[in-house]
Amino acid sequence: MRHRIAVVGAGPGGLTFARVLHRLGHPVVVLERDRGPGSRPPGGTLDLHEGLGQLALDKAGLLARFREVSRPEGQAMRILDPAGTVLRDWRPRPDERANPEIDRGQLRDLLLGPLDVRWGQEVTGVVPGDGALVQFGDGRQETFDLVVGADGAWSRVRPAVSPVTPCYTGVTAVETSLDDVDTRHPDLAELIGDGAVAVYGVNRAVVAQRASGGHVKVYVQLRAPLDWLAGVDLTDVEAARSALLALLDGWAQPVRDLVGRGAAFVHRPIHVLPPSHTWAHVRGVTLLGDAAHLMPPLGAGANLAMLDGAELAESLVIDGGDLDGVVRAWEERMWARAARWAAITMSGLERLVGPDPAAALALFDEVQPS
Ligand SMILES: Cc1cc2nc3c(=O)[nH]c(=O)nc-3n(C[C@H](O)[C@H](O)[C@H](O)COP(=O)(O)OP(=O)(O)OC[C@H]3O[C@@H](n4cnc5c(N)ncnc54)[C@H](O)[C@@H]3O)c2cc1C
């Protein structure tokens, strides 16, 4: 039986959902607010885990292609103390395929493939009823048998099933980037290595991570009130730089340079949904990915969004006609997995940006044994 299915959001979760449906021969409408795939910078790099994001890509028939474009060497992780002493220097074996990195833009293009996304479609709300009514920013409306909200942290689909909104974790981040690092900043390129370098101090950290093409994202993370930057205009690059470098007073010069050589700064406070976020099932509407279970950015969110999408798509086609029953059963499985990862990532954030830098180091000993 053919259902009219729409997914709101062409992020990793929405695209994986659509791509698996497409592979299984079921039509799907993808509604995305962005004007096109290149309308904004795609962001940094994602590590896709063997049992999560890679499993989802396998279900989409894209695992072999992922292996060609991803960067296993990007799993390398070096940890320093604020004085610049190397505490840990983990490098993957050449055949290590547990969590290779892929640029977000490459992943998007891989997933897009033959999909026909409706770009420039801003969804403002969904009204459940006899079919789910999608409302658009330009006043149009369209009804589907099932609407899947894969529209991220500030989902406009979520209010149709849940009144819950994200709350601030107490940890914020400022992002900057370095381009052509190997030619323009060879000293920093060496510090970062093939993957990432992280420096953990008391209630603050600096993380720099390499994407492809010599592009590096640098994050300063700290425990602070949400409005700690209220007096600083981040578009004033000098003011932003000096506010950030003041946080790193006494830190080794190369670490300060990771931040100080950045040319533009973006504030990214870390919000989460409650770790056990569920809702009373609503006929014709559901959520996946960050819209359902926003958690700290510690390497799980895109992976979970993709596996959510792949599994829901498979269930809809393979388990058959009872659309509502299939979605309900899938939600139970998705919630259970998300709750486990929300607990892991929340406790990880406590340790990585907390009062005891030794707790951050110990976390890597647990997840990345030498
Ligand atoms: C700095 C950082 C690093 C991270 N690193 C990792 C990592 O290494 N590994 C990992 O697994 N996760 C990582 N994450 C988390 C990951 O980015 C998210 O969990 C993931 O992108 C969620 O995917 P999604 O498809 O649910 O939502 P999103 O990626 O947020 O996509 C949502 C899509 O919906 C669209 N949209 C939004 N509102 C509307 C609307 N009203 N109408 C139509 N379209 C709309 C958006 O334009 C977007 O395209 C990181 C996050 C951050 C911030």
Side-chain angles (χ1 to χ4, degrees):
M1 182 190 216
R2 289 286 162 115
H3 304 289
R4 282 211 76 207
I5 298 174
V7 59
V8 182
L15 286 180
T16 307
F17 172 70
R19 191 67 196 263
V20 174
L21 277 182
H22 181 274
R23 186 181 194 209
L24 297 174
H26 197 295
V28 55
V29 173
V30 186
L31 303 168
E32 167 58 48
R33 178 178 58 190
D34 287 348
R35 301 236 143 254
S39 65
R40 64 184 162 97
T45 168
L46 294 167
D47 63 310
L48 296 189
H49 307 200
E50 237 164 6
L52 296 172
Q54 291 185 53
L55 178 58
L57 286 175
D58 196 20
K59 291 176 186 292
L62 295 170
L63 190 56
R65 188 79 192 101
F66 169 76
R67 291 204 169 124
E68 283 166 26
V69 293
S70 61
R71 289 173 284 109
E73 71 280 9
Q75 298 168 96
M77 183 80 199
R78 183 172 287 153
I79 299 183
L80 313 182
D81 68 11
T85 309
V86 177
L87 303 176
R88 206 166 191 284
D89 194 4
W90 188 86
R91 290 169 209 209
R93 292 186 317 269
D95 60 345
E96 177 67 65
R97 291 287 182 277
N99 306 297
E101 295 282 338
I102 184 167
D103 289 8
R104 281 175 191 264
Q106 290 174 323
L107 178 64
R108 180 201 56 213
D109 293 345
L110 191 64
L111 289 168
L112 270 176
L115 293 178
D116 188 13
V117 173
R118 290 199 208 161
W119 300 100
Q121 308 278 309
E122 178 165 24
V123 170
T124 52
V126 175
V127 183
D130 187 17
L133 182 75
V134 176
Q135 301 172 318
F136 295 93
D138 58 8
R140 283 178 304 114
Q141 301 187 333
E142 194 170 347
T143 304
F144 296 90
D145 298 318
L146 176 67
V147 174
V148 178
D151 51 341
W154 305 101
S155 169
R156 301 298 292 265
V157 180
R158 190 167 51 228
V161 300
S162 164
V164 174
T165 53
C167 65
Y168 179 53
T169 53
V171 176
T172 189
V174 176
E175 176 188 306
T176 188
S177 50
L178 304 168
D179 289 320
D180 297 329
V181 70
D182 299 294
T183 43
R184 288 163 70 179
H185 309 284
D187 52 335
L188 300 184
E190 200 178 320
L191 181 70
I192 297 162
D194 288 336
V197 62
V199 191
Y200 294 102
V202 174
N203 290 325
R204 62 202 56 179
V206 173
V207 180
Q209 188 174 28
R210 189 186 273 273
S212 62
H215 188 76
V216 171
K217 290 270 182 224
V218 182
Y219 304 92
V220 178
Q221 303 165 334
L222 71 151
R223 282 199 179 267
L226 191 51
D227 63 356
W228 79 282
L229 268 174
V232 183
D233 173 7
L234 281 189
T235 61
D236 177 347
V237 171
E238 281 313 319
R241 241 183 226 139
S242 58
L244 293 171
L245 290 176
L247 295 170
L248 307 176
D249 199 23
W251 288 38
Q253 193 57 42
V255 180
R256 290 170 61 80
D257 286 345
L258 287 170
V259 179
R261 293 194 209 160
F265 298 88
V266 185
H267 192 200
R268 297 206 188 281
I270 299 178
H271 289 79
V272 291
L273 285 166
S276 53
H277 180 227
T278 62
W279 53 89
H281 173 76
V282 174
R283 194 180 171 80
V285 189
T286 193
L287 306 173
L288 62 74
D290 279 5
H293 46 66
L294 179 65
M295 55 188 77
L298 298 183
N303 281 276
L304 294 172
M306 292 171 70
L307 192 55
D308 290 352
E311 289 184 348
L312 177 59
E314 275 190 348
S315 300
L316 289 170
V317 177
I318 294 164
D319 298 347
D322 172 15
L323 185 70
D324 203 41
V326 166
V327 173
R328 201 185 275 264
W330 169 83
E331 283 171 343
E332 297 286 343
R333 294 199 302 276
M334 182 265 291
W335 289 331
R337 179 171 58 218
R340 285 197 302 279
W341 279 98
I344 292 169
T345 54
M346 276 308 291
S347 110
L349 186 68
E350 294 294 322
R351 292 170 69 176
L352 293 178
V353 189
D356 178 12
L361 190 64
L363 181 61
F364 286 93
D365 290 336
E366 289 164 25
V367 299
Q368 228 174 29
S370 316

